[in-house]
Amino acid sequence: MKTAVFVPVRIGSTRLPRKPLILIKEKPIIEHLIDRVKAAAVPQLIVLCTTTQPEDAVLGEVARRCRVRFFVGNEKDIIRRFFDAAEKFSVDFIVNVDGDDVFCEPQLVRAAVTRHIETGADFVNFEGFPLGAAPIGFTKEALETICRLKETGDTETGWGRYFTESGLFKVETVHADDEDLRRPGVRITLDYPEDLEFTKQVFNRLYVPGKVFGIRDILSLLDKHPEIAKINQSLQEVYYSEFKKKAAPIRLKKAW
């Protein structure tokens, strides 16, 4: 079985223009994320998955500099983009780490692969962890099924529901059983200017060149400095409200 981490990322952002290239500690945010993904060690390759928009071509330079693979695919149909990338690189199981999730936990990347191997799940997700800490995993075979059955070319928002709500796939959920990690109200992803300020504050206190700090380090910092957590805490409701507005209902042809 060949595994890979796919990092969907693009330059266009209305809330944080050119977000992946914003410098923190003299390094683009997307390169910090790549360092974190590399620390997971288990997947056999890392692929930056971007779009055909001309502005996204600069991400190819990032991929070359970081010695990861690069794929250009459908802008709006992210499921098709994933499937085409999986085909190109002959990948069987994909761990998706969103380009906004600069603090995604390497141990959870490994856990996604492990849970798939143990259970044969088509889709592996995580519950109870801080928003932005956990990836999701899925098979190329499941992607192929969705591409064959879906009735829309726009799966940009809410695409995970094609796995979880269609009834077509075996879904496994990894729960945050450790109380220290069960922090669903903590926000460590990057969508809004306040998230960027939060991210800078965390890096200012925890970053050491050549090392990757973990989710436990971040949560320990927030326990000691609750004022940092408050920077973007109020955005959780805003984020979920916007997500629900953008996510179209899944539409699938009958499987027979």
Side-chain angles (χ1 to χ4, degrees), residues 13-233:
S13 172
T14 55
R15 292 183 292 247
L16 286 173
R18 298 180 66 81
K19 176 170 48 178
L21 303 181
I22 294 173
L23 296 180
I24 293 182
K25 296 296 182 180
E26 302 180 350
K27 192 171 182 176
I29 284 173
I30 188 61
E31 293 192 26
H32 285 294
L33 177 55
I34 291 170
D35 287 344
R36 185 167 294 273
V37 171
K38 285 181 176 179
V42 172
Q44 293 151 293
L45 74 157
I46 299 167
V47 184
L48 289 189
C49 293
T50 192
T51 82
T52 53
Q53 288 295 313
E55 63 187 356
D56 290 331
V58 67
L59 293 167
E61 300 172 14
V62 173
R64 286 189 289 272
R65 188 162 60 243
C66 296
R67 298 183 178 181
V68 300
R69 308 304 290 270
F70 183 62
F71 182 81
V72 173
N74 194 290
E75 180 183 6
K76 291 292 185 180
D77 193 346
I78 195 168
I79 290 178
R80 169 57 66 177
R81 193 194 317 169
F82 286 154
F83 176 70
D84 290 345
E87 282 276 277
K88 178 177 180 178
F89 296 108
S90 300
V91 174
D92 301 299
F93 185 75
I94 299 102
V95 182
N96 175 79
V97 175
D98 195 86
D100 294 340
D101 293 345
V102 66
F103 296 129
C104 186
E105 173 56 43
Q107 289 188 15
L108 298 184
V109 173
R110 293 195 291 272
V113 177
T114 299
R115 183 60 66 93
H116 166 68
I117 292 172
E118 291 174 345
T119 67
D122 303 298
F123 184 82
V124 178
N125 61 5
F126 295 78
E127 284 189 0
F129 296 90
L131 181 63
I136 55 177
F138 42 85
T139 64
K140 183 180 80 170
E141 186 176 359
L143 288 172
E144 184 175 15
T145 298
I146 296 170
C147 285
R148 187 175 71 251
L149 298 177
K150 66 184 180 60
E151 295 184 325
T152 177
D154 186 351
T155 58
E156 186 176 19
T157 303
W159 55 269
R161 295 180 305 157
Y162 281 89
F163 297 90
T164 59
E165 296 180 11
S166 64
L168 296 173
F169 306 110
K170 181 178 181 180
V171 177
E172 280 287 320
T173 301
V174 179
H175 297 277
D177 294 329
D178 187 329
E179 289 188 8
D180 291 337
L181 300 181
R182 196 183 305 122
R183 311 280 189 95
V186 173
R187 179 179 177 83
I188 60 173
T189 190
L190 185 58
D191 284 302
Y192 306 96
E194 294 90 338
D195 295 328
L196 178 59
E197 178 58 29
F198 171 90
T199 300
K200 289 178 177 179
Q201 291 291 334
V202 172
F203 269 95
N204 284 341
R205 289 165 171 80
L206 296 180
Y207 179 67
V208 176
K211 295 184 179 180
V212 173
F213 52 86
I215 184 62
R216 292 183 186 276
D217 299 312
I218 297 171
L219 294 175
S220 177
L221 172 68
L222 299 183
D223 288 340
K224 294 175 183 176
H225 295 277
E227 72 277 7
I228 298 176
K230 290 179 181 178
I231 292 173
N232 62 350
Q233 192 172 28

